[in-house]
């Protein structure tokens, strides 16, 4: 019996879609817990990496609550690793039964599984650079990209025949282009959000340096980009309605809802000096925005 056959029999193919969804949920949640690390000033609770301290891989009492929070977030990475590996094994099982239609699922599951340890290394670099705000921003944006991959995998597991190579079920060119435009502007919004965060008060540690940018100015720039994204999303809703693309309409509607809720949270936190609970909710909203805009661009490519 070949190694491939043995591996593909470990996790049944029927678990692929639930595990794909679990991948997505887990990667959203770790963004939120990572935000909690920063917002509680626990970014250097474990002052080095890959060890927690020079003498220990685990947090100890002398590090206090900040050490426990940072070490707990590190341990959650192993949950992501376990889910990603299980999803990859299920994708192998799916390919064994679906043939070429399962190739895309395997490729995506493999990429996600490799992405998780790479992201852990980037997280370690943020510690080794004493929470350099630009490295922290890159760490967050990599997570957003990973969330997008997870969304794509969920969609592929739902419509594997449609997403097979050479599938004719392509949406109109105008819809596909608008989907990519929304995705591009969405990334500008996320990036500008990291600049606002990097210039604000929640550095992750009292001694961590800031970007030196004016947070008020960049908050307005960020908000302006959000207005453009909302306008494009409304345009996609109208276009999907006219072209009778129900899947695109659902995805654009979900993105619009997230944008509106994120906007309310953003304005409230801005005018209340960034209270930690609201910033945490805003971090969740950013993750959901990344997921929703990925869903829009994926749905906009096919007529499903």
């Amino acid at each position: 019996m070949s190694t491939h056959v043995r591996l593909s029999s470990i996790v049944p193919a029927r678990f692929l879609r639930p595990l794909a969804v679990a991948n997505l949920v887990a990667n959203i949640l770790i963004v939120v817990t990572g935000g909690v690390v920063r917002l509680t000033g626990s970014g250097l609770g474990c002052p080095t990496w890959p060890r927690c301290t020079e003498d220990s891989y685990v947090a100890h009492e002398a590090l206090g609550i900040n050490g426990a929070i940072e070490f707990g977030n590190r341990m959650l990475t192993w949950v992501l690793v376990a889910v990603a590996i299980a999803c990859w094994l299920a994708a192998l099982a799916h390919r064994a039964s679906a043939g070429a239609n399962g190739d895309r699922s395997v490729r995506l599951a493999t990429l996600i599984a490799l992405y998780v340890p790479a992201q852990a290394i980037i997280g370690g670099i943020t510690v080794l650079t004493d929470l350099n705000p630009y490295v922290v921003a890159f760490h967050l944006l990599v997570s957003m990209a990973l969330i997008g991959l997870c969304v794509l995998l969920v969609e592929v597991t739902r419509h594997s025949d449609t997403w097979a190579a050479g599938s004719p079920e392509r949406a109109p060119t105008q819809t596909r282009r608008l989907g990519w435009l929304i995705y591009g502007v969405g990334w500008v919004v996320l990036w500008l959000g990291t600049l606002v965060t990097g210039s604000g008060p929640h550095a992750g540690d009292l001694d961590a340096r800031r970007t030196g940018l004016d947070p008020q100015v960049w908050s307005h720039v960020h908000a302006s980009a959000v207005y453009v994204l909302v306008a494009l999303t409304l345009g996609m809703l109208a276009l999907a309605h006219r072209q009778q693309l129900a899947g695109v309409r659902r995805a654009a509607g979900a993105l619009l809802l997230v944008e509106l809720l994120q906007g309310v949270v953003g304005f409230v936190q801005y005018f209340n000096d960034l209270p930690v609970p609201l910033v945490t909710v805003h971090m969740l909203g950013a993750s959901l925005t990344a997921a929703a805009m990925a869903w829009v661009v994926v749905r906009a490519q096919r007529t499903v």
Side-chain angles (χ1 to χ4, degrees):
M1 183 182 293
S2 69
T3 301
H4 176 269
V5 173
R6 289 198 301 270
L7 287 174
S8 66
S9 64
I10 294 175
V11 180
R14 67 178 180 273
F15 292 129
L16 176 57
R17 187 180 174 196
L19 285 168
V21 173
N23 247 338
L24 174 60
V25 172
N27 278 284
I28 289 174
L29 289 179
I30 203 165
V31 169
V32 177
T33 61
V36 170
V37 170
R38 180 171 57 83
L39 293 168
T40 57
S42 304
L44 295 178
C46 285
T48 190
W49 187 90
R51 296 174 183 263
C52 184
T53 67
E54 293 295 338
D55 303 317
S56 174
Y57 281 98
V58 300
H60 49 73
E61 188 175 345
L63 297 174
I65 185 62
N66 289 341
I69 292 172
E70 163 64 2
F71 182 72
N73 189 62
R74 291 187 184 190
M75 290 299 98
L76 284 176
T77 300
W78 294 105
V79 176
L80 265 68
V81 168
V83 173
I85 291 175
C87 188
W88 177 71
L89 291 171
L92 289 180
H94 174 67
R95 183 171 65 181
S97 61
N101 283 357
D103 287 344
R104 193 184 295 269
S105 296
V106 172
R107 288 196 296 270
L108 285 170
T110 301
L111 187 56
I112 291 168
L114 294 174
Y115 229 127
V116 173
Q119 178 68 321
I121 292 172
I122 297 170
I125 294 172
T126 67
V127 174
L128 297 177
T129 57
D130 295 326
L131 306 182
N132 180 294
Y134 294 106
V135 180
V136 172
F138 179 67
H139 186 40
L140 175 63
L141 292 175
V142 169
S143 285
M144 298 303 177
L146 184 51
I147 287 170
L149 286 175
C150 291
V151 169
L152 178 55
L153 179 58
V154 170
E155 282 294 293
V156 167
T157 60
R158 290 187 64 193
H159 307 284
S160 57
D161 292 338
T162 301
W163 279 93
S167 169
E169 302 294 330
R170 293 173 64 82
T173 300
Q174 187 179 12
T175 303
R176 299 199 306 272
R177 288 177 177 174
L178 182 55
W180 282 113
L181 181 59
I182 287 172
Y183 194 63
V185 172
W187 268 98
V188 172
V189 168
L190 293 174
W191 171 67
L192 289 172
T194 66
L195 293 184
V196 175
T197 300
S199 64
H202 299 298
D205 186 83
L206 290 177
D207 297 322
R209 72 181 182 90
R210 303 279 72 201
T211 61
L213 300 172
D214 187 328
Q216 185 173 13
V217 169
W218 285 97
S219 292
H220 288 298
V221 174
H222 174 58
S224 298
V226 171
Y227 299 149
V228 174
L229 182 60
V230 171
L232 291 173
T233 304
L234 288 169
M236 179 63 91
L237 272 172
L239 184 62
H241 178 75
R242 187 170 73 244
Q243 295 176 342
Q244 298 183 334
L245 297 174
V248 179
R249 188 168 62 245
R250 285 193 295 271
L255 177 58
L256 181 62
L257 178 61
V258 172
E259 289 166 353
L260 294 177
L261 293 175
Q262 219 16 12
V264 171
V265 173
F267 276 112
V268 173
Q269 71 171 13
Y270 178 80
F271 290 109
N272 287 275
D273 298 323
L274 304 176
V276 168
L278 278 181
V279 178
T280 303
V281 173
H282 204 56
M283 290 289 294
L284 172 61
S287 301
L288 295 177
T289 299
M293 69 189 201
W295 192 24
V296 168
V297 73
V298 169
R299 281 293 179 95
Q301 306 311 305
R302 297 291 187 272
T303 58
V304 295

